[in-house]
Amino acid sequence: MKQILLRVHHSLCIQFFEGKGYNDEFVRGMRNIIDHLEIYDPEIILTDRCDEICSFCPNRRNGICVTEEKVHCIDMNCLREYRLNINDVMKWKELKEIANNTIINKNKLDKICGNCQWYEICSKADTA
């Protein structure tokens, strides 16, 4: 199974995804990636640049996110909490567990990604 390049903060987005997105192509692509991660538990290579999820996003222009500064900051916040580095490699379920134990279960979403346009979706689930 091939390794998947994953933008660090997407480890959070994936866990709160509920079928909403920029457009139908993005939603289908995101769902396919999530299904693949959950079924096959592939190795993930952490990045702070556009990844496979971004390939479906209309905010990706010339391989760069139009909100790069904002999302890069969220990536760095996640890395600090996870105590990981760019280019670290691990299985998806291990990364998912780290995200849960360091951010989600400790109710740190507001601190990490409170300025994200999708934060409202995640914050509702965060308090559950």
Side-chain angles (χ1 to χ4, degrees):
M1 190 61 41
K2 73 175 183 124
Q3 294 177 320
I4 294 180
L5 191 65
L6 191 73
R7 190 158 198 152
V8 181
H9 80 268
H10 284 159
S11 61
L12 297 172
C13 305
I14 287 167
Q15 296 189 65
F16 294 102
F17 184 71
E18 56 180 45
K20 296 178 181 170
Y22 304 99
N23 56 38
D24 290 342
E25 179 185 11
F26 176 83
V27 170
R28 274 192 307 277
M30 182 77 157
R31 177 61 57 214
N32 287 339
I33 290 171
I34 291 170
D35 289 347
H36 181 82
L37 292 171
E38 293 299 327
I39 293 167
Y40 298 106
D41 191 24
E43 283 191 339
I44 302 298
I45 304 169
L46 297 179
T47 187
D48 63 343
R49 301 285 178 238
C50 286
D51 64 5
E52 296 197 30
I53 290 172
C54 299
S55 65
F56 304 104
C57 182
N59 286 341
R60 180 180 177 159
R61 306 257 166 71
N62 299 316
I64 300 171
C65 182
V66 297
T67 62
E68 182 62 37
E69 188 174 323
K70 179 173 74 172
V71 294
H72 179 77
C73 183
I74 297 170
D75 288 328
M76 294 300 103
N77 289 340
C78 288
L79 283 176
R80 269 191 302 280
E81 293 295 322
Y82 297 170
R83 295 184 179 177
L84 296 173
N85 298 294
I86 295 304
N87 295 321
D88 280 353
V89 177
M90 68 193 56
K91 295 289 221 164
W92 160 247
K93 290 182 181 171
E94 180 183 359
L95 178 60
K96 182 178 175 180
E97 184 177 341
I98 291 169
N100 275 296
N101 291 339
T102 61
I103 296 175
I104 297 170
N105 294 340
K106 291 189 177 183
N107 295 315
K108 292 184 178 181
L109 279 179
D110 183 53
K111 172 184 168 190
I112 301 301
C113 47
N115 65 343
C116 172
Q117 74 184 73
W118 304 104
Y119 175 72
E120 185 178 330
I121 291 171
C122 304
S123 66
K124 288 177 186 173
D126 184 43
T127 58

